[in-house]
Amino acid sequence: MAFIEISKDNYQHNIELLTKKAGGKDRLMVVLKDNAYGHGLEIMAKLSCGFGIKRAAVKTLEEAKKINFLFEEVLILADHPSCELQDSSISFAVHSLEGLKKFPQKSSLHVNIDSGMHRNGIKEDEIQEAFKIIMKNNLNLKGMFTHFRSADELSSELYWQNKNFNRAKAKAKELILKYSLPMPKFHSCNSASLLRRNSCLEDDFARCGIATYGYTHVHKSFGQFDLKPVMSLWAEKLSTRSLKKGDRVGYGGMYELKCDGDVSTYDIGYGDGFFRHNGLSELLLEGRSVCGRVSMDSLSFLGDENKICLFKDAHYLAEKFNTITYDVISKLSPSIGKVVV
Ligand SMILES: *Cc1c(COP(=O)(O)O)cnc(C)c1O
């Protein structure tokens, strides 16, 4: 069976690098959404908990319920309001005033402030209204946050958005004091902004996903970061056949043998979240060329090895298929087995 190898040492290395920048283990929220970017939700939750991390973020309530016993708080980033009261360790991100009104009393919430990305979140001039709803409905405001749209790009937009967030924060703090509400946690940095700014400065913690898994797309001019990829992807042999020069392999017969030799087929394909390479160009994986097209459940290579590594670093595939490392790793099927080494 195809499997993903998780390097515990590399994960620990990245977490330590990031906690140092954030200013401590209680100032880093690990982002475990989308099956921990393909690495396995429960595995990465247990590892990060073992390294002393207290906060995690996921996409859905279903994900949160699987791991909240390991953390002080699990923040749900992108699910719909729940009409049932959840455990107090589970918090929801709130993306609009309308959404805020749907939560039952005592729900733990983090209100998202739109500081310029215009994807989700309430506007600065809606903060007062938000506090009124929070008080009227007896909601538990645990945090206020924003998300940056261009932290990894070579532009000053990060500073513009940060200024907007700081202004919203000041306004919120004023109202919190006025209404004698408990002070929520403020947070804004993702991986790119934490790496780029080297701290999460005025915030209470940073929310990091991609860098914990060993990648960054921060523009080179902001520095080189010693991150180590956590995942490597492997496939196992299904069968081998000896073929003659001129024989062609796979759909469309896209690969033609240049001399007699063995061709083996391995148990991963685009149905497992790997790329459907069309065979028109060379796809070189850890030094080996894929023979022709990738099928839904398999792909072929010259030779007869029992297992082969498809990647140890997702950058090459991201570049080859004109995408980003996030896309390569998070699309891998959750059903691929995981081995922690
Ligand atoms: C996914 C996500 C993050 C993590 O971003 P990375 O770039 O992977 O560090 C942080 N905050 C929010 C709101 C997100 O959706």
Side-chain angles (χ1 to χ4, degrees):
M1 288 288 283
F3 63 97
I4 286 170
E5 208 172 80
I6 302 289
S7 164
K8 185 178 173 180
D9 287 349
N10 287 4
Y11 190 46
Q12 184 164 19
H13 168 91
N14 301 332
I15 294 279
E16 278 172 6
L17 184 144
L18 294 163
T19 49
K20 214 163 151 195
K21 285 187 189 288
K25 285 186 175 160
D26 49 354
R27 286 167 64 81
L28 183 71
M29 171 181 263
V30 290
V31 180
L32 303 174
K33 63 189 182 191
D34 297 276
N35 197 33
Y37 293 41
H39 293 69
L41 173 64
E42 275 139 313
I43 291 171
M44 302 315 275
K46 277 186 198 130
L47 288 176
S48 57
C49 169
F51 301 151
I53 298 295
K54 308 260 179 345
R55 285 192 179 84
V58 291
K59 180 180 180 189
T60 64
L61 176 59
E62 196 187 336
E63 289 178 321
K65 283 180 169 172
K66 288 183 184 157
I67 59 161
N68 70 313
F69 71 98
L70 292 166
F71 297 98
E72 278 175 17
E73 184 175 24
V74 177
L75 174 61
I76 297 166
L77 291 172
D79 209 346
H80 300 275
S82 160
C83 48
E84 273 171 51
L85 180 65
Q86 301 299 330
D87 189 276
S88 62
S89 63
I90 294 179
S91 308
F92 279 83
V94 178
H95 302 295
S96 67
L97 289 181
E98 242 165 71
L100 184 57
K101 290 176 191 155
K102 293 186 181 156
F103 287 96
Q105 284 199 24
K106 300 201 171 73
S107 295
S108 300
L109 306 174
H110 286 231
V111 171
N112 185 353
I113 310 264
D114 182 1
S115 59
M117 186 173 185
H118 305 325
R119 177 176 75 173
N120 270 319
I122 65 165
K123 292 187 192 136
E124 190 184 324
D125 62 12
E126 292 176 325
I127 293 175
Q128 177 133 22
E129 181 61 22
F131 281 123
K132 285 193 181 144
I133 299 166
I134 287 164
M135 288 184 293
K136 180 164 161 264
N137 296 357
N138 193 19
L139 299 166
N140 181 6
L141 178 69
K142 280 205 173 161
M144 297 188 86
F145 73 102
T146 197
H147 194 53
F148 298 125
R149 71 179 180 193
S150 339
D152 41 18
E153 290 168 19
L154 189 57
S155 89
S156 59
E157 287 208 342
L158 175 61
Y159 297 94
W160 162 72
Q161 261 192 280
N162 192 46
K163 215 167 91 191
N164 294 343
F165 184 52
N166 280 341
R167 201 176 51 239
K169 233 156 100 171
K171 186 165 174 178
K173 282 185 180 171
E174 211 175 276
L175 292 167
I176 286 157
L177 293 176
K178 183 171 155 193
Y179 299 134
S180 307
L181 291 165
M183 192 58 77
K185 302 281 188 202
F186 290 92
H187 48 110
S188 60
C189 287
N190 60 353
S191 298
S193 38
L194 179 64
L195 290 171
R196 183 168 159 180
R197 302 202 297 189
N198 229 8
S199 89
C200 58
L201 297 173
E202 324 86 8
D203 284 348
D204 292 292
F205 57 86
R207 307 179 306 270
C208 291
I210 198 74
T212 66
Y213 306 111
Y215 297 104
T216 178
H217 290 269
V218 170
H219 193 275
K220 283 196 293 288
S221 64
F222 296 120
Q224 295 285 313
F225 305 98
D226 176 30
L227 297 166
K228 299 182 176 171
V230 172
M231 152 195 301
S232 53
L233 178 63
W234 296 77
E236 290 186 322
K237 189 168 77 175
L238 292 165
S239 67
T240 300
R241 66 219 63 257
S242 296
L243 297 174
K244 298 271 179 244
K245 180 183 172 186
D247 283 345
R248 295 191 292 144
V249 180
Y251 283 114
M254 296 296 289
Y255 181 82
E256 186 176 316
L257 269 83
K258 293 179 188 68
C259 51
D260 296 1
D262 289 344
V263 171
S264 298
T265 296
Y266 296 84
D267 59 354
I268 196 162
Y270 64 83
D272 303 292
F274 195 70
F275 291 92
R276 185 188 168 275
H277 176 59
N278 60 15
L280 291 172
S281 61
E282 184 176 51
L283 182 63
L284 197 63
L285 302 178
E286 298 298 311
R288 251 178 267 255
S289 281
V290 176
C291 296
R293 279 189 201 152
V294 171
S295 301
M296 190 183 283
D297 298 314
S298 64
L299 42 58
S300 303
F301 288 95
L302 292 178
D304 67 348
E305 274 176 78
N306 286 327
K307 61 173 190 174
I308 44 137
C309 183
L310 299 169
F311 71 84
K312 291 181 177 157
D313 183 329
H315 275 118
Y316 166 76
L317 282 164
E319 224 169 275
K320 175 85 188 167
F321 291 94
N322 195 23
T323 185
I324 51 178
T325 54
Y326 293 80
D327 192 26
V328 179
I329 58 180
S330 69
K331 283 209 183 116
L332 293 173
S333 168
S335 64
I336 299 175
K338 314 284 185 306
V339 190
V340 179
V341 294

